């Protein structure tokens, strides 16, 4: 172990007298005393309590409404029709009416929710090719083997976008109609763009290069649409041609895989430019009409529309304020117990130390 | 009990070489014959590796380790796409790092192998440049002894000289034992020209020796190659923990695999339309099987690769702190403490039994000839340090030795009557000193005229020969066949006919010489009990007087030897000499045959007297023993001394409350002693002495080893002194306690006779003192003074133990908190072995984000230095192994499990419904992963902060630095490229810490 130095002299092997070698480095040794620990506990408890109450109040004024349309209203028929995923060619439309009890003030967000859909299975999550989706020419027609068996179709044509994730994309289209008491019907205007994360839209997902003479369709020449899709990727949005290809907002939102089997994904944001919607979503009766495409029956799933408003803290989320309150309570109980112990035994402990 | 570092019997010295080789045949200058046996050749390769072979050989060696092989298997599993739940780099990056660090360490060691400076093979000495085929060697490299040793070639071979032609014709065949690790023994026979010659260690030049004062020598290579190396290896006990966690890992894997099977059957089959995997559609059980392996890969971080390296680094660091400690440096000998093994530092904090040698360990082993009894008359006074205190001056003036020009000036003796007796030429007194001057194995060195220096292997001999020198019987020079003395100024040369060696069984040595008058004499010195059995019956009266004197000496703590001589008949001797020559060529049982022959001639001797040598206590010994006793460490002194000497040392070492003994119970004490004396002579029995409140047991080694009840009694006593213990019994006693008490034992000693005990105990400590280096070489720790043991145990041991325990606790906590999140996630993701974290986070978590703070804690943490020494009781938790046992391990893993639970389910609850303030959903997997990862890093950093008692600048730097590095890497990895997400979840992170503190 110890290196024997070849040095001479009577004390040549004497270890150095450095603070490091003699383990005398200057140091701060905090010792936990009741005087420091107990106040910390009380303060922590108080902080958690205040945070919890604040969050609770915030959440109380955050409204959320869920409309399960899986087999509600006229959708039961469509539900039965879609029992088989392959049987997707027949279009099916249905409507579900619902009531909004209170006005949703401010920005209102429309989500579609899925229950019991496992987007978090390992092989499912891996079944995508990010290199393809970033528009690299080489990868476009040579999908990663991770996509298998959704990499090439039966004729050997590469699928774009490849993989199980893209293949199973949510493809219901939802339209919400406002039915004011005067009997008229007003379509609720939604922004269907700008719903994806900025970095996703601008960095992670790119279309293959195009220009004025070379259209998106030509860029995707030689690839085919995913098996369960009704239209190719370059025609996903028939209204806005700039929202097609890999940078389609709905596709991007879907590709951001959910962590849990029950999840919701943003569908649109209320456009408050005009009509009765300038102040938010007014209370009253609504009708939801659906182009019913996405089958949930095989995996016993549910589909729903979630309408929610958002504050600084996010959407309606009772869990966090309650968790804070519970934590606060636990800390308080611990603190009280410790204080009792300190008051009763503390003196004795001191004596023992002396 | 889960005691990771408490090993069983450590097979430290394994006998290398071919296991089945029983005899070795080597024929000189006959290559074909020798090659039949495929012995290692004597080509010299200075290093194990060279530039080209380093990598493959080193990798091969490393993968032979269990841990490394385990990780290699994991890596291979990850290359199977159906199983691979993690990218290959998550295992290979840490593995490569670990292998690289180890390889660098090995490479460094390879480079520092010393160049050729000494013999590279074991040689049979054939001839040399010196007369009689003598050859002087230094064996410091082998056993650390620095005195010159003599080797002598057989007369037949030494005649070959340096005539190369004759040597080339030499065709002797050597038959000898196979290679072994006994440095001091060799048995073999040389067959040449139809004659058989016995070979022993005196004719061998061992590898590693350095030739001194010899121009050249020729030898026959007997052992060569790597098979010679005697290896020392310590079993690495950390494996035990590895296995336990490994079992846990398998259990989790099985649970999740069963979960997967059920899930696939109940739920997963519904998704087959989305996931058309062929394997999965076969059946759910197969899917469960694959999942098992996938989860083994994911959860393998509970047994992290970095733990292995970290523990090694810590142990190395702790060892260096021991080496660097100035308070264990002995300036008078320029000897720092040395940790020779790195694996035992924590055990230093758990020692319950110390087995100590007496001579050289508790005492200085600087022998002073103090008293003697010649022909029933005692001479000399004990100048004990106590006497200085009482009388303030010497009782008697020092003897003036100026009549003797060859005297040693440092020698002091305080009874002039002995000099008078010498000057009166009393024959027995003369014979007494003549014996001392003749009967020994010392090598004299006379650099200038009259400046004699004795090279003694045993300081006792040195003291005796020096005494003889000052009293006018100067040992001047020796050749293999003669010894020259200056008796009262006149040169007298004795012919040396035989040396009957000392060994631990015989406990005596004799020489047979022919004096110038032609008389044959046998001179013998040895332990009194042994010699008294071999005296002439006519000596009985003298024997009783002398033995009384001996008891008196021993009661004063002196070491005694009895001296006897015998006149031999020419005929008897010739007869005996023939038998001796015959026996000394015997190949088997040579030692027993020689022993029997020695026994035969050493009979009916005439007693001359006895010598008494004082061996002073080392500095600070009583204080150290008192302190260690307070620390609840039981101290056993195992000594070869007589009962009285042993008891005396017990009192002077503070091992028994002195004032209590000397006061009221004095009568009882002496009567008990008498009783013991009679019993001791009649049988090997026990002597137990009660001292008011505390018990001390003084016992005879032989009886202790035999009786298990005695062991129980002995273990109740605070201190035990075993006297009359042979080296083998020392080891047996240690082994007995190891087996009986399951406690960590430490053996401390300085001489070759302690080696077996040092090797047997869990921890061996060698005192680098007067008696060579054999104990040090066999030991795990070495230093120069017994008193450093206090610091080694109470400070270094306690700290090492605390540090290692805290380190392990924290490490397991950290990894369980880190890994089990995957387990919880399994219930939500259909047991599909989906990881929670990002792959790079898994790769870097253990080696970058959290490794340095815990290392800093493991290296620098301290628990109250001043209290360590002031309250030795603080040592207790280590002995009871309270800081890391099964319960503690369970607690810290449970804490890890709870943390992972909170870490997983609070974000889960939050993310179930959470949206970002701009409305975008954030319950996606990546955001979830980053949240948990960030919370985890913060929580484990807070935990290390709570665990650290001693915040040096290094701790601050590492903890804050690790956090900074985490965030830097997080933003760097997520800021550009294709994997872009924003960790926009700080409100929740704060939540987790609070939740965590609540859970404390």
């Amino acid at each position: 172990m110890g290196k024997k130095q070849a040095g001479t002299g009577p004390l040549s092997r004497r270890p150095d007298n450095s603070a490091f070698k003699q383990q005398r480095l200057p140091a701060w040794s905090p010792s936990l005393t009741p005087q420091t620990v107990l106040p910390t506990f009380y303060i922590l408890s108080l902080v958690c309590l205040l945070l919890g109450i604040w969050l609770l109040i915030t959440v109380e004024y955050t409204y959320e409404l869920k409309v399960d349309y899986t087999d509600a209203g006229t959708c039961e028929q469509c539900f039965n029709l879609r029992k088989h995923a392959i049987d997707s060619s027949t279009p099916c439309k249905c409507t579900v009416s619902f009531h909004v009890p209170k006005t949703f003030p401010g920005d209102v967000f429309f989500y579609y929710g899925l229950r019991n859909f496992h987007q978090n299975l390992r092989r499912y999550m891996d079944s995508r090719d990010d290199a393809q989706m970033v528009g690299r020419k080489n990868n476009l027609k040579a999908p990663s083997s991770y996509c298998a068996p959704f990499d090439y179709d039966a004729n050997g044509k590469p699928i774009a976008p490849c993989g199980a994730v893209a293949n199973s994309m949510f493809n219901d289209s939802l339209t919400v109609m406002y039915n004011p008491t005067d009997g008229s019907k007003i379509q609720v205007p939604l922004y269907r763009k700008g719903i994806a994360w900025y970095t996703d839209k601008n960095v992670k997902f790119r279309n293959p290069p195009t220009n004025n003479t070379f259209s998106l369709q030509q860029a995707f020449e030689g690839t085919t649409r995913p098996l369960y899709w009704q239209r190719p990727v370059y025609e996903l949005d028939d209204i806005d041609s700039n929202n097609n290809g890999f940078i389609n907002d709905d596709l991007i939102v879907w590709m951001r895989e959910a962590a849990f089997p029950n999840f919701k994904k943003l569908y649109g944001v209320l456009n408050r430019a005009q009509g009765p919607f300038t102040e938010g979503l007014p209370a009253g009766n609504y009708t939801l009409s659906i182009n019913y495409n996405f089958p949930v029956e095989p995996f016993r799933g549910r589909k729903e529309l979630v309408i929610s408003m958002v504050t600084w803290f996010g959407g309606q989320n009772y869990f966090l304020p309650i968790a804070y309150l519970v934590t606060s309570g636990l800390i308080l109980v611990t603190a009280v117990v410790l204080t009792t112990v300190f008051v009763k035994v503390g003196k004795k402990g001191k004596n023992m130390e002396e | 009990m889960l005691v990771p570092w408490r090993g069983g019997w450590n097979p430290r010295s394994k006998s290398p070489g071919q296991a089945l080789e029983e005899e070795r045949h080597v024929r000189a200058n006959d290559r074909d014959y020798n090659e039949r046996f495929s012995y290692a050749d004597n080509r010299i390769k200075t290093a194990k590796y060279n530039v080209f072979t380093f990598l493959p050989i080193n990798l091969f060696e490393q993968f032979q380790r269990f841990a490394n092989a385990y990780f290699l298997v994991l890596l291979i599993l990850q290359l199977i796409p159906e199983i691979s739940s993690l990218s290959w780099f998550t295992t290979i990056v840490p593995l490569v790092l670990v292998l690289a660090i180890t390889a660098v360490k090995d490479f460094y060691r390879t480079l520092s192998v010393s160049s050729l400076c000494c013999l590279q093979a074991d040689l049979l000495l054939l001839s040399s440049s010196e007369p009689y085929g003598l050859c002087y060697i230094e064996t410091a490299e082998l056993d650390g002894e620095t005195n010159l040793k003599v080797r002598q070639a057989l007369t037949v071979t030494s005649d070959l000289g340096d005539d190369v032609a004759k040597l080339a014709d030499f065709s002797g065949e050597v038959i000898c034992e196979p290679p072994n690790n006994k440095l001091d023994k060799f048995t073999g026979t040389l067959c040449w020209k139809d004659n058989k010659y016995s070979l022993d260690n005196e004719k061998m030049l061992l590898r590693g020796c350095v030739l001194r004062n010899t121009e050249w020598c020729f030898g026959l290579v007997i052992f060569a190659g790597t098979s010679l190396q005697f290896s020392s290896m310590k079993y690495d006990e950390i494996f035990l923990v590895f296995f336990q966690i490994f079992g846990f890992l398998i259990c989790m894997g099985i649970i999740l695999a069963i979960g997967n099977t059920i899930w696939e059957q109940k739920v997963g089959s519904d998704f087959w339309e989305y996931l058309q995997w062929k394997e999965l559609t076969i059946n759910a059980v197969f899917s469960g099987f694959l999942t098992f392996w996938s989860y083994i890969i994911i959860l393998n971080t509970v047994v992290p690769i970095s733990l292995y390296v970290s523990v090694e680094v810590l142990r190395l660091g702790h060892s260096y702190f021991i080496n660097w400690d100035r308070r264990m440096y002995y300036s008078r000998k320029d000897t720092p403490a040395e940790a020779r093994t790195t694996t035992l530092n924590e055990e230093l904090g758990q020692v319950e039994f110390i087995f100590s040698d007496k001579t050289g360990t508790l005492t200085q082993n600087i022998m002073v000839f103090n008293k003697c009894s010649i022909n029933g008359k005692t001479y000399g006074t004990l100048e004990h340090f106590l006497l200085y205190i009482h009388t303030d001056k010497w009782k008697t003036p020092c003897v003036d030795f100026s009549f003797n020009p060859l005297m040693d000036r440092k020698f002091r003796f305080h009874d002039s009557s002995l000099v008078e007796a010498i000057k009166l030429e009393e024959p027995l007194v003369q014979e007494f000193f003549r014996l001392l001057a003749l009967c020994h194995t010392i090598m004299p060195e006379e650099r200038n005229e009259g400046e004699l220096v004795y090279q003694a292997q045993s300081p006792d001999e040195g003291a005796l020969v020096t005494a003889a020198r000052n009293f006018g019987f100067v040992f001047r020079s020796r050749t293999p066949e003669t010894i020259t003395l200056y008796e009262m100024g006149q040169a007298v040369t004795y012919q040396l006919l035989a040396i009957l060696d000392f060994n631990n069984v015989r406990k005596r040595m004799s020489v047979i010489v022919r004096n110038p008058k032609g008389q044959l004499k046998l001179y013998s010195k040895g332990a009194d009990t042994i010699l008294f059995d071999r005296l002439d019956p006519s000596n009985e009266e003298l024997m009783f007087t002398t033995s009384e004197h001996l008891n008196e000496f021993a009661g004063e703590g002196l070491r005694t030897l009895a001296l006897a001589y015998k006149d031999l008949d020419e005929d008897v001797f010739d007869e005996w000499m023939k038998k001796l020559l015959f026996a000394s060529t015997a190949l088997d049982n040579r030692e027993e045959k020689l022993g029997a022959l020695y026994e035969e001639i050493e009979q009916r001797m005439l007693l001359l007297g006895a010598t008494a040598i004082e061996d002073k206590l080392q500095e600070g010994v009583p204080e150290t023993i008192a302190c260690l006793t307070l620390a609840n460490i039981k101290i056993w002194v195992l000594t070869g001394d007589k009962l009285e000497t042993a008891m005396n040392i017990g009192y002077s070492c503070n091992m028994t409350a002195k004032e209590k003994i000397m006061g009221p119970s004095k009568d009882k004490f002496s009567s008990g002693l008498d009783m013991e004396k009679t019993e001791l002579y009649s049988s090997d029995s026990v002597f137990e002495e009660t001292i008011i409140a505390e018990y001390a047991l003084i016992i005879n080694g032989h009886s202790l080893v035999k009786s298990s009840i005695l062991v129980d009694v002995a273990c109740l006593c605070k201190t035990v002194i075993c006297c009359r213990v042979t080296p083998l019994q020392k080891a047996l006693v240690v082994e007995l306690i190891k087996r009986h008490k399951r406690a960590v034992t430490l053996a401390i000693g300085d001489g070759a006779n302690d080696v077996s005990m040092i090797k047997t105990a869990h921890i061996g400590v060698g005192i680098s003192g007067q008696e060579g280096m054999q104990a040090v070489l066999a030991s795990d720790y070495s230093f120069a003074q017994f008193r450093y043991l206090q610091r080694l145990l109470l400070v270094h041991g306690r700290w090492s133990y605390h540090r290692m325990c805290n380190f392990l606790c924290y490490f397991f906590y950290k990894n369980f908190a880190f890994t089990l999140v995957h387990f919880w996630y399994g219930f939500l993701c259909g047991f599909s072995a989906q990881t929670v974290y990002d792959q790079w986070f898994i790769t870097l978590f253990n080696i970058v984000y959290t490794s340095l703070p815990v290392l800093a804690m493991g290296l620098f943490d301290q628990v109250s230095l001043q209290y360590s020494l002031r309250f030795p009781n603080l040592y207790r938790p280590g002995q009871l192994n309270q800081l890391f046992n099964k319960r503690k391990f369970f607690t810290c893993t449970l804490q890890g499990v709870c943390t992972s639970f909170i870490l997983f389910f609070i974000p889960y609850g939050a993310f179930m419904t959470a949206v970002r303030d701009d409305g975008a959903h954030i319950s996606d997997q990546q955001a979830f992963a980053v949240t948990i990862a960030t919370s985890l890093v913060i929580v484990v950093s807070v935990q290390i902060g709570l665990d650290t008692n001693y915040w040096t600048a290094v701790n601050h730097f590492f903890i804050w630095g690790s956090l900074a590095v985490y965030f830097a890497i997080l933003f760097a990895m997520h800021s550009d490229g294709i994997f872009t997400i924003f960790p926009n979840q700080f409100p929740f992170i704060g939540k987790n810490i609070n939740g965590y503190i609540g859970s404390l």
Side-chain angles (χ1 to χ4, degrees), chain B residues 595-655:
Chain B
L597 272 176
Y598 292 166
E599 186 77 41
E600 184 188 319
I601 198 140
E602 286 167 330
Q603 292 295 341
R604 301 176 74 87
M605 294 185 288
L606 298 167
L607 188 64
L608 266 175
T611 59
I613 296 171
E614 190 194 351
D615 188 5
K616 282 181 183 157
L617 271 190
Q618 280 185 14
E619 226 178 300
V621 167
E623 294 83 353
T624 306
I625 288 183
C627 185
L628 291 176
T629 310
L630 281 176
N632 205 30
I633 301 174
K634 299 204 166 73
I635 299 171
W636 292 36
V637 176
L638 309 181
T639 169
D641 284 329
K642 302 175 58 177
L643 181 83
E644 291 81 358
T645 320
M647 282 173 72
N648 196 281
I649 211 80
Y651 298 135
S652 55
C653 286
N654 220 356
M655 291 181 65

Side-chain angles (χ1 to χ4, degrees), chain A residues 1 22-23 111 228 256-257 259, chain B residues 273 324 339 803 825 919 924:
Chain A
M1 280 288 332
Q22 299 307 317
Q23 305 196 62
Y111 304 87
Y228 294 172
R256 186 159 276 281
E257 296 135 329
Chain B
E273 282 185 87
W324 284 333
R803 287 168 179 172
Y825 194 49
D924 71 287

Side-chain angles (χ1 to χ4, degrees), chain A residues 1 10 13 15 17 22-23 25 28-29 111 121-122 148 203-204 228 256-257 259-260 300 310 315 320 327, chain B residues 84 266 270 273 277 324 326 334 339 803 825 829 832 862 908 915 919 923-925 950-951 978 981 988:
Chain A
M1 280 288 332
R13 292 173 64 198
N17 193 15
Q22 299 307 317
Q23 305 196 62
L25 286 177
W28 170 59
S29 345
Y111 304 87
L121 296 180
R122 175 167 60 89
V203 183
K204 200 172 171 180
Y228 294 172
R256 186 159 276 281
E257 296 135 329
F260 312 113
R300 295 189 288 277
V310 164
L320 275 183
T327 310
Chain B
S84 171
K266 302 254 164 173
D270 302 337
E273 282 185 87
W277 321 122
W324 284 333
R326 262 169 104 102
D334 192 26
R803 287 168 179 172
Y825 194 49
C829 69
S832 64
Q862 295 190 4
Y908 170 68
V915 285
S923 59
D924 71 287
Q925 210 271 339
Y950 193 77
W951 287 74
I978 51 172
I981 49 168
F988 314 128

Side-chain angles (χ1 to χ4, degrees), chain A residues 310-323:
Chain A
V310 164
T311 57
W312 64 271
F313 170 64
Q316 190 188 44
N317 183 354
Y318 279 101
F319 180 82
L320 275 183
I322 290 170

